[in-house]
Coordinates of all heavy atoms in Angstrom, one line a residue:
P26 N 7.2 3.8 4.8 CA 7.0 2.6 5.7 C 5.6 2.0 5.5 O 4.7 2.7 5.2 CB 7.1 3.2 7.1 CG 7.9 4.5 6.9 CD 7.5 5.0 5.6
Y27 N 5.6 0.7 5.6 CA 4.4 -0.1 5.5 C 3.2 0.6 6.3 O 2.1 0.7 5.9 CB 4.5 -1.5 5.9 CG 5.2 -2.5 4.9 CD1 5.8 -2.0 3.8 CD2 5.2 -3.8 5.2 CE1 6.4 -2.9 2.9 CE2 5.8 -4.7 4.4 CZ 6.4 -4.3 3.2 OH 7.0 -5.2 2.3
E28 N 3.6 0.9 7.5 CA 2.6 1.5 8.4 C 2.0 2.8 7.9 O 0.7 3.0 8.0 CB 3.2 1.7 9.8 CG 3.6 0.4 10.6 CD 4.9 -0.2 10.0 OE1 5.7 0.5 9.3 OE2 5.1 -1.4 10.3
D29 N 2.8 3.6 7.3 CA 2.3 4.9 6.7 C 1.4 4.6 5.5 O 0.4 5.2 5.3 CB 3.4 5.8 6.3 CG 4.2 6.3 7.5 OD1 3.8 6.1 8.6 OD2 5.2 7.0 7.2
F30 N 1.8 3.6 4.7 CA 0.9 3.2 3.5 C -0.4 2.7 4.0 O -1.5 3.0 3.5 CB 1.6 2.2 2.7 CG 0.8 1.7 1.6 CD1 0.6 2.4 0.4 CD2 0.2 0.4 1.7 CE1 -0.2 1.9 -0.6 CE2 -0.6 -0.1 0.6 CZ -0.8 0.7 -0.5
A31 N -0.4 1.8 5.1 CA -1.6 1.2 5.6 C -2.6 2.3 6.1 O -3.8 2.3 6.0 CB -1.3 0.2 6.7
R32 N -2.0 3.4 6.7 CA -2.8 4.5 7.3 C -3.2 5.5 6.3 O -4.3 5.9 6.2 CB -1.9 5.1 8.4 CG -2.7 6.2 9.2 CD -1.8 7.0 10.2 NE -0.8 7.7 9.5 CZ 0.6 7.5 9.7 NH1 0.9 6.6 10.7 NH2 1.5 8.1 9.0
D33 N -2.2 5.9 5.4 CA -2.5 7.1 4.5 C -2.7 6.7 3.0 O -3.1 7.5 2.2 CB -1.3 8.0 4.5 CG -1.0 8.5 5.9 OD1 -1.9 8.6 6.7 OD2 0.2 8.7 6.2
G34 N -2.4 5.4 2.7 CA -2.5 5.0 1.3 C -1.3 5.5 0.4 O -0.3 6.0 1.0
A35 N -1.4 5.4 -0.9 CA -0.4 5.8 -1.8 C -0.3 7.3 -1.9 O -1.2 8.0 -1.7 CB -0.6 5.2 -3.1
P36 N 0.9 7.8 -2.2 CA 1.1 9.2 -2.4 C 0.2 9.7 -3.6 O 0.2 9.0 -4.6 CB 2.6 9.4 -2.8 CG 3.2 8.0 -2.5 CD 2.2 7.0 -2.4
A37 N -0.4 10.8 -3.4 CA -1.3 11.3 -4.5 C -0.6 11.6 -5.8 O -1.2 11.4 -6.9 CB -2.0 12.6 -4.0
A38 N 0.6 12.0 -5.7 CA 1.4 12.3 -6.9 C 1.6 11.1 -7.8 O 2.1 11.3 -9.0 CB 2.7 13.0 -6.5
F39 N 1.4 9.9 -7.4 CA 1.8 8.7 -8.1 C 0.6 8.1 -8.9 O 0.8 7.1 -9.6 CB 2.4 7.7 -7.2 CG 3.9 8.0 -7.0 CD1 4.2 9.0 -6.0 CD2 4.9 7.4 -7.7 CE1 5.5 9.4 -5.8 CE2 6.2 7.8 -7.5 CZ 6.5 8.8 -6.5
A40 N -0.6 8.7 -8.9 CA -1.7 8.1 -9.7 C -1.7 6.6 -9.7 O -1.8 6.0 -10.7 CB -1.6 8.7 -11.1
T41 N -1.7 6.0 -8.5 CA -1.6 4.6 -8.4 C -2.9 3.8 -8.8 O -3.9 4.1 -8.2 CB -1.1 4.2 -7.0 OG1 0.0 5.0 -6.6 CG2 -0.7 2.8 -6.8
P42 N -2.8 2.9 -9.7 CA -4.0 2.1 -10.1 C -4.5 1.2 -8.9 O -3.7 0.8 -8.1 CB -3.5 1.3 -11.2 CG -2.2 1.8 -11.6 CD -1.6 2.5 -10.5
D43 N -5.7 1.0 -8.9 CA -6.3 0.1 -7.9 C -5.7 -1.3 -7.8 O -5.5 -1.8 -6.8 CB -7.8 -0.1 -8.1 CG -8.6 1.2 -7.9 OD1 -8.1 2.1 -7.2 OD2 -9.8 1.3 -8.3
E44 N -5.3 -1.8 -9.0 CA -4.6 -3.1 -9.1 C -3.3 -3.1 -8.2 O -3.0 -4.1 -7.5 CB -4.3 -3.4 -10.5 CG -3.6 -4.7 -10.8 CD -3.3 -4.8 -12.3 OE1 -3.9 -4.2 -13.1 OE2 -2.4 -5.7 -12.6
V45 N -2.6 -2.0 -8.3 CA -1.3 -1.9 -7.6 C -1.6 -1.7 -6.1 O -0.9 -2.3 -5.2 CB -0.4 -0.8 -8.1 CG1 0.8 -0.6 -7.3 CG2 0.0 -1.1 -9.6
L46 N -2.6 -0.9 -5.8 CA -2.9 -0.7 -4.3 C -3.3 -2.0 -3.7 O -2.9 -2.3 -2.6 CB -4.1 0.3 -4.2 CG -3.8 1.7 -4.7 CD1 -5.1 2.6 -4.6 CD2 -2.7 2.3 -3.8
L47 N -4.2 -2.8 -4.4 CA -4.6 -4.1 -3.8 C -3.4 -5.0 -3.7 O -3.3 -5.8 -2.7 CB -5.7 -4.7 -4.7 CG -7.0 -4.0 -4.7 CD1 -8.0 -4.6 -5.7 CD2 -7.7 -4.1 -3.3
A48 N -2.5 -5.1 -4.6 CA -1.4 -5.9 -4.6 C -0.5 -5.5 -3.4 O 0.0 -6.4 -2.7 CB -0.6 -5.9 -5.9
L49 N -0.2 -4.2 -3.2 CA 0.6 -3.8 -2.1 C 0.0 -4.1 -0.7 O 0.6 -4.5 0.2 CB 0.9 -2.3 -2.2 CG 1.8 -1.9 -3.3 CD1 1.8 -0.3 -3.5 CD2 3.2 -2.3 -3.0
Q50 N -1.4 -4.0 -0.6 CA -2.0 -4.3 0.6 C -1.9 -5.8 0.9 O -1.7 -6.2 2.0 CB -3.5 -3.9 0.5 CG -3.7 -2.4 0.5 CD -5.1 -2.0 0.1 OE1 -5.9 -2.8 -0.4 NE2 -5.4 -0.7 0.3
T51 N -1.9 -6.6 -0.2 CA -1.8 -8.1 0.0 C -0.3 -8.4 0.5 O -0.2 -9.2 1.4 CB -2.0 -8.8 -1.3 OG1 -3.4 -8.5 -1.7 CG2 -1.8 -10.3 -1.2
V52 N 0.7 -7.7 -0.1 CA 2.1 -7.9 0.3 C 2.2 -7.6 1.7 O 2.9 -8.3 2.5 CB 3.0 -7.1 -0.6 CG1 4.4 -7.1 0.0 CG2 3.0 -7.7 -2.0
I53 N 1.7 -6.4 2.1 CA 1.8 -6.0 3.5 C 1.1 -6.9 4.5 O 1.6 -7.3 5.5 CB 1.3 -4.6 3.7 CG1 2.3 -3.6 3.0 CG2 1.2 -4.2 5.2 CD1 1.8 -2.2 2.8
G54 N -0.1 -7.4 4.1 CA -0.8 -8.3 4.9 C -0.1 -9.6 5.1 O 0.0 -10.2 6.2
A55 N 0.5 -10.1 4.0 CA 1.3 -11.4 4.1 C 2.6 -11.2 5.0 O 2.9 -12.1 5.8 CB 1.8 -11.8 2.7
A56 N 3.2 -10.0 4.9 CA 4.4 -9.7 5.7 C 4.0 -9.7 7.2 O 4.8 -10.1 8.1 CB 5.0 -8.4 5.3
D57 N 2.8 -9.2 7.5 CA 2.4 -9.0 8.9 C 1.9 -10.4 9.5 O 1.9 -10.5 10.7 CB 1.2 -8.1 9.0 CG 1.7 -6.6 8.8 OD1 2.9 -6.4 8.9 OD2 0.8 -5.8 8.5
T58 N 1.6 -11.4 8.7 CA 1.2 -12.7 9.2 C 2.3 -13.7 9.2 O 2.1 -14.8 9.8 CB 0.0 -13.2 8.4 OG1 0.4 -13.4 7.0 CG2 -1.2 -12.3 8.4

């Protein structure tokens, strides 16, 4: 869920690049507004 990602971040097992983390945060921020 978006809320869990906002609170906990990406799952550690996925080695998520900063570029993807920032893009997901932008998507969630846009969805919330």
Side-chain angles (χ1 to χ4, degrees):
Y27 281 7
E28 294 76 17
D29 292 355
F30 174 78
R32 183 185 64 237
D33 304 328
F39 282 78
T41 310
D43 290 341
E44 177 182 343
V45 174
L46 294 174
L47 291 171
L49 287 169
Q50 290 167 350
T51 300
V52 167
I53 290 170
D57 289 342
T58 60

